[in-house]
Amino acid sequence: MKATKYLVLAMVWFNIVLAGWLSIHMLYDPEGWYYFVPGVTDTGFFNQHFIRDIGIIQGFVAAAFAIGLYRVDRRIELWAAATLWLIAHGAFHLWEVAVGICSASAIVRDFPAVSLPAIFGIAATAWACSQRQRAPISAPAAPVGI
């Protein structure tokens, strides 16, 4: 059981660090991010506004996972909301391959920064759901520490 808990912690921290780094890099240096990340230049012209918009979203993803570490009573909602965006982002990348915008090699190239965070979010959220104690409807659920 402890091994599972530490695995979940590792997955959550991976998502916090990656999304936090993406947020800071995209907000502070969008052009640098555009040229730094492999494959991004193949998807369209540099658009500072769009990159910073996504940087803000990444900041919210990092914050949701981080706050969920400490707010056990809100963990499922926080991690699920962040994970929904990660899933949508991953599905969009798969759609780009399906319609021919990107080659199939983009799936492998993008896996660590696109698909893996979504998989980790799904696993962490499922684990958090399994940890929630059942309480009577009239009483609030007791927080369960990680």
Side-chain angles (χ1 to χ4, degrees):
M1 190 64 164
K2 274 199 179 257
T4 302
K5 178 175 94 171
Y6 292 123
L7 179 61
V8 168
L9 279 173
M11 291 186 289
V12 168
W13 275 107
F14 176 88
N15 280 359
I16 292 168
V17 170
L18 178 64
W21 174 79
L22 285 168
S23 178
I24 291 167
H25 198 176
M26 294 170 98
L27 291 169
Y28 178 73
D29 183 16
E31 189 171 12
W33 176 87
Y34 176 78
Y35 289 108
F36 177 76
V37 177
V40 172
T41 57
D42 299 334
T43 62
F45 296 108
F46 171 71
N47 182 328
Q48 175 176 268
H49 179 94
F50 178 73
I51 293 170
R52 285 192 165 134
D53 281 347
I54 301 303
I56 291 168
I57 294 168
Q58 291 289 3
F60 279 113
V61 167
F65 279 107
I67 293 167
L69 283 175
Y70 302 101
R71 289 292 312 267
V72 179
D73 59 324
R74 294 288 173 227
R75 177 175 290 159
I76 293 170
E77 297 86 354
L78 288 163
W79 290 0
T83 299
L84 284 174
W85 188 85
L86 293 171
I87 291 168
H89 181 220
F92 176 67
H93 278 249
L94 293 175
W95 174 82
E96 286 185 317
V97 171
V99 299
I101 294 171
C102 297
S103 69
S105 64
I107 296 170
V108 174
R109 179 196 67 213
D110 296 346
F111 184 82
V114 177
S115 302
L116 195 58
I119 292 167
F120 283 175
I122 292 166
T125 304
W127 177 84
C129 289
S130 76
Q131 298 301 303
R132 178 162 283 174
Q133 292 179 351
R134 301 285 178 213
I137 294 173
S138 60
V144 179
I146 195 159

